[in-house]
């Protein structure tokens, strides 16, 4: 079982690249520990900025540094970064098309029992609604590393959401296909198309394995690039299936499910089922307990697919 969370993978890539690139700057809002960025702060103190519990300042300072030619990566809990500093993300980063990478850590329901105040179940919808803002939810540590390496090569704003805990590997170090802003098709089938993002990709893969044992063939699409959305991958997956299932650690409105439904409705009408968190305060519990309760597991996804076929 993998013990390296995606946030640690981000730190490892930034530390490696910062050896040669002194324009890389990491910013935190009293979150270097929870973001796994303490090693970066210790190794490169002159390339690290701690703003304290001030998410709005975090984003604006990052935007200012970007305008000075730096490559800022600003990390804060996703629940705060996507709400408290929403205006700064919109105006200072996206509207100005500024080279800032916002890292929402402990996304979704990672904080578990801390409840709705610490859950980020609306950030996909909120950030995707901002023009010029790209939104990414990498599925494992290997894809996370590839994404950070790619973002270091461009100069456009982006929002990344990663969870708090380690997730099971979807890929391997030797086999992690990655193309910027293109979804990855993990398996191909003809009965159902399962389109997932972030931590829900691994359960989607497990669901496909369970369905295969029951004679049901499923395509699994890793839609790590929620915006820009890979519409062609959605169209191809939907055309070859009788049913489309979307899976996300997000509220049912405005997220991956809504986006996929729009594409399928206009390109190749099929039945679309959206598996997501409820439009209500989420139950108290660990991530594992919450996912099991709402059917966001391999077994739960497979059950939904079978029932709707």
């Amino acid at each position: 079982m993998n013990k390296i969370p995606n946030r640690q993978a981000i730190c490892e890539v930034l530390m490696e690249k910062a050896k040669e690139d002194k324009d890389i700057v990491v910013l935190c809002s009293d979150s270097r520990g929870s973001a796994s960025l303490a090693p970066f702060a210790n190794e490169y103190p002159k390339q690290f900025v701690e703003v304290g519990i001030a998410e709005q300042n975090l984003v604006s300072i990052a935007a200012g540094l970007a305008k000075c030619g730096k490559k800022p990566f600003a990390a804060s809990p996703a629940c705060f970064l996507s709400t408290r500093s929403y205006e700064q993300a919109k105006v200072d980063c996206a509207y100005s098309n500024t080279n800032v990478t916002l890292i929402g850590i402990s996304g979704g329901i990672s904080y578990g029992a801390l409840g709705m105040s610490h859950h980020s179940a609306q950030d996909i919808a909120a950030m995707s609604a901002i023009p010029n803002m790209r939104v990414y939810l990498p599925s494992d540590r290997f894809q996370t590393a590839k994404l950070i390496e790619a973002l270091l090569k461009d100069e456009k704003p982006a929002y990344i959401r990663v969870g708090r805990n380690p997730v099971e590997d979807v890929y391997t170090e030797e086999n992690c296909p990655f193309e910027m802003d293109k979804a990855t098709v993990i398996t191909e089938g003809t009965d159902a198309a399962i389109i997932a993002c972030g931590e829900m990709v691994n359960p989607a893969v497990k669901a496909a394995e369970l369905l295969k044992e029951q004679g049901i063939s499923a395509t699994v699409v890793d839609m790590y690039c929620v915006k820009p959305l890979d519409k062609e991958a959605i169209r191809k997956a939907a055309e070859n299936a009788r049913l489309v299932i979307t899976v996300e650690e997000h509220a049912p409105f405005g997220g991956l499910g809504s986006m996929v439904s729009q594409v399928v409705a206009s390109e190749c009408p099929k039945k679309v089922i959206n598996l997501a968190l409820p439009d209500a305060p989420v139950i108290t519990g660990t991530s594992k307990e919450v996912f099991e309760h709402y059917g966001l597991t391999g077994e739960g996804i497979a059950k939904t697919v079978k029932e709707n076929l």
Side-chain angles (χ1 to χ4, degrees):
M1 174 65 181
N2 169 47
K3 295 183 179 179
I4 300 174
N6 291 350
R7 55 196 167 101
Q8 183 177 331
I10 293 174
C11 182
E12 290 174 355
V13 172
L14 293 177
M15 288 187 69
E16 180 62 29
K17 299 300 182 181
K19 290 178 182 179
E20 304 295 333
D21 192 345
K22 299 307 176 184
D23 285 331
I24 294 174
V25 180
V26 170
L27 303 91
C28 284
S29 59
D30 193 34
S31 54
R32 72 181 75 182
S34 56
S36 293
L37 288 167
F40 188 99
N42 295 334
E43 185 72 20
Y44 305 103
K46 293 183 179 180
Q47 292 170 253
F48 182 82
V49 179
E50 174 60 75
V51 304
I53 304 175
E55 291 81 7
Q56 294 170 328
N57 292 344
L58 173 80
V59 176
S60 291
I61 293 170
L65 288 169
K67 288 301 183 183
C68 295
K70 300 299 182 182
K71 301 173 183 177
F73 287 75
S76 183
C79 54
F80 306 137
L81 189 61
S82 63
T83 54
R84 290 182 181 175
S85 53
Y86 191 67
E87 182 180 6
Q88 285 71 28
K90 181 179 75 171
V91 178
D92 297 346
C93 298
Y95 181 72
S96 306
N97 206 26
T98 305
N99 181 24
V100 175
T101 300
L102 303 173
I103 304 171
I105 59 171
S106 300
I109 46 87
S110 293
Y111 281 123
L114 291 180
M116 194 172 179
S117 64
H118 281 61
H119 295 163
S120 56
Q122 80 304 311
D123 56 336
I124 296 176
M127 288 298 186
S128 295
I130 303 176
N132 287 336
M133 183 62 76
R134 298 171 295 168
V135 178
Y136 301 104
L137 278 79
S139 57
D140 73 357
R141 55 180 169 144
F142 300 114
Q143 190 182 67
T144 299
K146 296 271 191 181
L147 175 60
I148 296 299
E149 290 171 357
L151 289 172
L152 279 165
K153 296 175 183 177
D154 69 35
E155 298 182 352
K156 297 179 287 184
Y159 171 75
I160 304 171
R161 187 231 268 186
V162 293
R164 183 177 181 83
N165 304 311
V167 293
E168 290 187 53
D169 294 334
V170 176
Y171 306 103
T172 65
E173 190 170 6
E174 297 75 24
N175 183 24
C176 181
F178 181 87
E179 184 177 352
M180 193 62 170
D181 299 333
K182 295 294 182 182
T184 300
V185 178
I186 299 175
T187 65
E188 294 192 63
T190 55
D191 293 315
I194 307 173
I195 302 174
C197 62
E199 292 192 24
M200 293 295 101
V201 174
N202 189 278
V205 172
K206 290 183 176 179
E209 293 170 353
L210 292 171
L211 290 166
K212 186 177 181 180
E213 294 173 359
Q214 303 173 55
I216 298 173
S217 171
T219 293
V220 176
V221 178
D222 178 354
M223 191 61 69
Y224 82 91
C225 47
V226 176
K227 184 188 176 185
L229 190 70
D230 189 345
K231 296 181 180 179
E232 181 63 15
I234 295 171
R235 184 187 63 78
K236 287 182 178 179
E239 281 182 345
N240 295 326
R242 293 187 287 144
L243 171 72
V244 177
I245 300 279
T246 65
V247 194
E248 60 189 315
E249 186 182 357
H250 191 267
F253 305 114
L256 178 67
S258 298
M259 297 179 192
V260 169
S261 295
Q262 287 180 329
V263 174
V264 173
S266 63
E267 299 287 338
C268 49
K270 295 279 176 73
K271 183 176 183 179
V272 179
I273 303 295
N274 178 24
L275 278 175
L277 296 171
D279 181 31
V282 172
I283 64 160
T284 299
T286 65
S287 294
K288 183 176 184 294
E289 291 167 340
V290 173
F291 292 152
E292 288 177 350
H293 182 82
Y294 294 114
L296 298 174
T297 61
E299 293 77 8
I301 297 167
K303 182 174 182 288
T304 300
V305 169
K306 192 172 181 180
E307 288 175 350
N308 284 278
L309 279 175

